[in-house]
Amino acid sequence: MKLVEIGRALMSDAKLLLLDEPVSGVNPTLAHEIFSRILKLRDELGVTFFIVEHRIDIALKYVDEIFAMAFGKLIASGLPDEVMNDKRVIEAYLGG
């Protein structure tokens, strides 16, 4: 169903899709499949995906850049390794 929703959005010939938690409520195997298909669509169609996702353990393997927010403010952005090791991100999400 999640992939059908993405397909419907692509029918509008969009160049940018904003996805809100596309792997919410699905098992990890399907979550990886969804992200793999998103990458394939990005590469084949030249579509940019802006994804809001809380299952960062899965999403990290598929993203080019990360924007981390806390209390509605951007606290870090950049490459996945840089952001995940940023002290502000660690404090905001793990409590220091």
Side-chain angles (χ1 to χ4, degrees):
M1 201 61 159
K2 302 275 187 176
L3 292 172
V4 170
E5 292 171 8
I6 293 170
R8 280 186 25 209
L10 289 171
M11 289 173 60
S12 70
D13 200 31
K15 296 298 174 200
L16 169 69
L17 287 183
L18 297 122
L19 305 179
D20 184 22
E21 299 192 50
V23 297
S24 175
V26 301
N27 69 55
T29 301
L30 182 56
H32 286 288
E33 178 66 24
I34 290 169
F35 272 111
S36 293
R37 298 263 178 121
I38 288 170
L39 288 182
K40 187 175 180 184
L41 290 167
R42 178 199 67 186
D43 296 341
E44 290 179 358
L45 303 176
V47 176
T48 299
F49 289 87
F50 188 95
I51 301 170
V52 175
E53 184 58 62
H54 291 94
R55 292 176 70 184
I56 198 73
D57 58 317
I58 295 172
L60 275 176
K61 298 176 175 96
Y62 302 95
V63 299
D64 298 320
E65 290 185 67
I66 294 179
F67 299 89
M69 298 181 72
F71 300 108
K73 295 189 188 300
L74 183 68
I75 58 171
S77 65
L79 299 174
D81 287 341
E82 294 171 356
V83 173
M84 294 308 293
N85 291 310
D86 187 298
K87 65 181 182 177
R88 296 167 294 181
V89 173
I90 293 168
E91 185 172 312
Y93 287 89
L94 301 176

